[in-house]
Amino acid sequence: MTEPRTLSREKLEQMIGETETSLTDLKAELTRRDQAAQHREIDHLEEHMNSAETGLRSVRDFFRLLTAELRKSES
């Protein structure tokens, strides 16, 4: 890479412009990837909800069983 001190003002401005354009493109790519990841998660939302419901049902069944066992042991 050429030493910046030896470059003309016009060349420096051109390089800055190109760098800013590249930075803008990179930021846009990051945004696109983030949005794609969010869309993938939304596409699987029903699976996540079903999994949560199954887990909640298991916890509820466990507490029912525990309560029944405690009542038996108190009798």
Side-chain angles (χ1 to χ4, degrees), residues 19-56:
T19 302
E20 288 173 341
T21 299
S22 293
L23 182 58
T24 299
D25 292 345
L26 291 170
K27 287 179 178 181
E29 177 61 18
L30 277 176
T31 299
R32 185 197 65 75
R33 289 182 185 189
D34 289 344
Q35 289 173 344
Q38 289 175 358
H39 286 288
R40 281 191 302 276
E41 288 303 315
I42 289 170
D43 290 343
H44 294 101
L45 184 59
E46 187 172 344
E47 293 171 29
H48 295 309
M49 294 301 291
N50 289 337
S51 177
E53 286 177 21
T54 300
L56 181 59

Side-chain angles (χ1 to χ4, degrees), residues 1-26:
M1 181 167 166
T2 307
E3 182 69 29
R5 292 175 217 214
T6 63
L7 299 173
S8 68
R9 179 175 181 80
E10 291 77 19
K11 182 63 178 171
L12 286 172
E13 288 174 348
Q14 176 192 353
M15 290 175 69
I16 289 170
E18 290 170 356
T19 302
E20 288 173 341
T21 299
S22 293
L23 182 58
T24 299
D25 292 345
L26 291 170

Side-chain angles (χ1 to χ4, degrees), residues 49-70:
M49 294 301 291
N50 289 337
S51 177
E53 286 177 21
T54 300
L56 181 59
R57 200 172 301 117
S58 296
V59 170
R60 188 176 55 229
D61 292 345
F62 169 76
F63 279 116
R64 284 182 182 155
L65 179 64
L66 183 62
T67 302
E69 291 295 320
L70 286 172

